[in-house]
Amino acid sequence: GAGVSQSPRYKVAKRGQDVALRCDPISGHVSLFWYQQALGQGPEFLTYFQNEAQLDKSGLPSDRFFAERPEGSVSTLKIQRTQQEDSAVYLCASSSQGYGELFFGEGSRLTVL
Amino acid sequence: GESVGLHLPTLSVQEGDNSIINCAYSNSASDYFIWYKQESGKGPQFIIDIRSNMDKRQGQRVTVLLNKTVKHLSLQIAATQPGDSAVYFCADHKRTGFQKLVFGTGTRLLVSP
């Protein structure tokens, strides 16, 4: 597709369940970012990949959060043992460079009950 | 960026008015600044950027002003239209080496017809 695609768009999980969120970046974009956006707030950085290498994961809030991009294209953000405070929109963005304009997907809204 | 919880600053204007949205950034090392627009249920969308060696940049109906002395950015929208209604975020980072893009708190722009 022409843009960044994320799935699922909406996910409801019971507390304690594991979830996996998928991101298909723009073809050829080497840089991929995950952001978390709580209601009424700006996006907060989670992690950054350059191709398949995870160069920065300083924003991951706990060891329950894990991201991968094994072939340098599609990325998955996994959250284990979800908690209510994990409820947020998870945004994926890609870029042809490591800086500059990021192209965002529409996000995956996670609600943990 | 700093969090202000659920109460985003709001700017209400009439259609046809000019809008000015302000933003403060905290990292004096930042040399690249971007304005994003986020409509409800969508990911942030790039509007305009500016590098630190400039103090003004114009696009179509939008102008960004940068004051590095006081670490302040503004976005001016000329002849505001109902379609401009959205939340606007400024973001900044340092281009050399990887530094995460840091988003501000956001301002909600409401345009009345």
Side-chain angles (χ1 to χ4, degrees), chain A residues 9 35 37 39-40 99-100 102 105, chain B residues 5-6 36 38 41 93 95 101:
Chain A
R9 287 293 317 280
Y35 280 78
Q37 187 173 27
L39 185 64
Y99 60 87
L102 303 188
Chain B
L6 297 178
Y36 281 90
Q38 187 173 27
H93 72 165
R95 292 171 65 240
L101 196 62

Side-chain angles (χ1 to χ4, degrees), chain A residues 3-24:
Chain A
V4 177
S5 178
Q6 292 188 246
S7 61
R9 287 293 317 280
Y10 304 93
K11 175 69 179 178
V12 178
K14 292 182 179 178
R15 190 174 56 177
Q17 278 186 327
D18 297 348
V19 299
L21 308 176
R22 176 188 169 104
C23 173
D24 279 272

Side-chain angles (χ1 to χ4, degrees), chain A residues 9 33 35 37 39-45 48 55-56 58-59 91 98-107 109, chain B residues 1 3-8 32 34 36 38 41-44 46 51 89 93 95 98-105:
Chain A
R9 287 293 317 280
F33 306 79
Y35 280 78
Q37 187 173 27
L39 185 64
Q41 298 185 20
E44 296 279 349
F45 172 83
Y48 162 64
L55 299 187
D56 188 329
S58 62
L91 294 164
Y99 60 87
E101 181 181 355
L102 303 188
F103 295 84
F104 282 85
E106 297 201 322
R109 179 179 297 277
Chain B
S3 169
V4 293
L6 297 178
H7 302 289
L8 284 173
Y32 185 69
I34 311 177
Y36 281 90
Q38 187 173 27
K42 296 188 176 180
F46 173 91
R51 298 184 183 184
F89 294 99
H93 72 165
R95 292 171 65 240
F98 171 71
Q99 281 200 8
K100 58 193 178 186
L101 196 62
V102 177
F103 284 80
T105 51

Side-chain angles (χ1 to χ4, degrees), chain B residues 50-57 64-68:
Chain B
I50 188 169
R51 298 184 183 184
S52 58
N53 60 352
M54 304 171 68
D55 53 20
K56 180 179 180 179
R57 190 168 187 214
V64 55
L65 299 178
L66 173 63
N67 185 330
K68 296 182 289 294

